[in-house]
Amino acid sequence: MNKTKKLQRNQVLFLFTLPILLMYCLFFVVPLLMGMKNSFTDWSGTSADYNFIGITNYIKIFHDERFRNALWFNFKYTFLLTVATVVISLIIAVILNQKIKGRGFLRSIYFLPAVLSLVTVGLIWNELFYRMIPAIGEATGWELFRSSWLGSPKLAMYAILIVNLWQGCATPIVLLIAGLQSIPADLYEAASIDGATAWEQFKAITIPYLIPVLNIVIVTCVKGGLTTFDYIKAMTDGGPMQSTESVGILIYNHAMQEGKFGYSVAESMILFVIIALVSVLTMRMSNGKKVGD
């Protein structure tokens, strides 16, 4: 291919990518730049007048105990969500990858929650917690089920976490099953001949080969945990007593209910930086690992 044809080919390829590039700039880059500008103002979100106040919003945020509590909630929730998702998804994926009766039916059933919207799932489970949990407590006499978990500051986070796991494990399971099926069967046969136990095979073969998939699952869970909003909005709206108020809920409340739009945008900028740093750190920790490390 001569230089002229190669140049023409590159120009055609660029034209195909141009609409996507324009949409990316329009719906991501431009709003991001506008948000950065608004974070340095005292704009209420409705008034036509606002003042540039520099980094005042950021200084206030770092001294805001409510923001620190919300961020601490996000970190706790993200850690529990990531660990539980990886463990549960991996166990279910290994089971569904075995030659068991009704495997195809089971693979279809577990994925059903993934097709429902987050708000719909939250509202359904909201009714279950408020009606089913007290009924169980009344029938069994167990103190833990005497009242709805969503009304308890100590248990509300775990109730939301259960709902998130119920729906959120579906996609990781699919990815892990695909990863398990890509592992050469010869490796397991050779390990069995050498006398390796099932657990030793799992540690030496299965886990190393699943590292790329686990990397995707972990980064997705971290991002989902740090930006969690829908489940909390539908189930507790940040209560009781702000015990489930995540940074996303706090940003919404400041912008839509308290008229602190510039302040809320500054909070979202900080959350954006945190997510980016955590994602990069997670990727660097896992990308260097290879099969056999």
Side-chain angles (χ1 to χ4, degrees):
M1 182 181 295
N2 56 44
K3 292 184 178 180
T4 303
K5 289 186 178 180
K6 187 176 182 179
L7 178 62
Q8 292 176 346
R9 178 177 176 273
N10 290 338
Q11 290 174 343
V12 172
L13 294 176
F14 175 75
L15 290 177
F16 275 106
T17 61
L18 186 60
I20 299 174
L21 180 63
L22 292 175
M23 292 181 65
Y24 179 80
C25 292
L26 179 63
F27 294 107
F28 181 79
V29 177
V30 173
L32 178 63
L33 295 176
M34 292 177 63
M36 292 178 63
K37 184 200 76 171
N38 290 329
S39 70
F40 297 106
T41 70
D42 60 356
W43 187 36
S44 65
T46 56
S47 174
D49 299 323
Y50 58 86
N51 301 307
F52 283 94
I53 57 176
I55 62 172
T56 302
N57 285 332
Y58 292 93
I59 295 175
K60 288 182 178 179
I61 289 172
F62 285 110
H63 291 86
D64 189 348
E65 184 178 0
R66 189 178 174 188
F67 179 81
R68 292 198 300 269
N69 291 337
L71 191 60
W72 175 239
F73 169 85
N74 274 91
F75 285 144
K76 290 189 296 182
Y77 186 86
T78 300
F79 175 78
L80 294 173
L81 177 66
T82 303
V83 173
T85 299
V86 170
V87 173
I88 295 173
S89 300
L90 188 56
I91 292 174
I92 296 177
V94 170
I95 294 174
L96 293 179
N97 194 49
Q98 305 299 316
K99 295 180 180 179
I100 58 176
K101 188 175 181 180
R103 181 175 62 175
F105 175 74
L106 292 174
R107 287 181 177 180
S108 302
I109 290 297
Y110 81 81
F111 194 75
L112 181 61
V115 303
L116 302 175
S117 71
L118 302 182
V119 176
T120 300
V121 170
L123 293 174
I124 292 173
W125 277 86
N126 190 48
E127 290 297 309
L128 291 176
F129 276 114
Y130 275 111
R131 299 178 186 275
M132 184 182 70
I133 295 296
I136 294 175
E138 184 177 352
T140 61
W142 295 343
E143 190 65 29
L144 183 63
F145 299 97
R146 285 291 185 182
S147 60
S148 171
W149 292 359
L150 296 177
S152 170
K154 295 182 179 180
L155 298 176
M157 182 184 71
Y158 299 101
I160 297 170
L161 183 64
I162 289 172
V163 179
N164 198 340
L165 291 171
W166 179 77
Q167 185 180 39
C169 284
T171 302
I173 292 173
V174 172
L175 297 175
L176 289 170
I177 289 177
L180 289 169
Q181 292 179 346
S182 68
I183 302 175
D186 296 344
L187 294 177
Y188 291 107
E189 294 177 3
S192 299
I193 295 173
D194 291 338
T197 63
W199 175 245
E200 290 172 339
Q201 294 177 33
F202 181 77
K203 291 191 301 181
I205 300 175
T206 305
I207 293 298
Y209 268 92
L210 289 180
I211 284 177
V213 180
L214 290 173
N215 182 35
I216 296 173
V217 172
I218 291 173
V219 171
T220 303
C221 288
V222 169
K223 182 260 182 185
L226 291 175
T227 60
T228 182
F229 177 85
D230 304 76
Y231 295 115
I232 298 175
K233 186 64 179 176
M235 299 176 70
T236 64
D237 199 20
M241 298 189 300
Q242 298 180 350
S243 61
T244 61
E245 187 175 59
S246 66
V247 176
I249 292 292
L250 182 61
I251 291 171
Y252 174 84
N253 289 337
H254 278 156
M256 307 304 294
Q257 297 181 5
E258 301 177 24
K260 301 178 181 178
F261 194 86
Y263 189 80
S264 69
V265 173
E267 291 175 321
S268 67
M269 290 294 107
I270 294 175
L271 182 62
F272 171 78
V273 173
I274 291 173
I275 294 173
L277 292 175
V278 173
S279 298
V280 170
L281 179 62
T282 305
M283 294 287 286
R284 285 194 173 185
M285 290 176 60
S286 55
N287 274 348
K289 296 183 180 295
K290 300 178 181 179
V291 176
D293 288 354

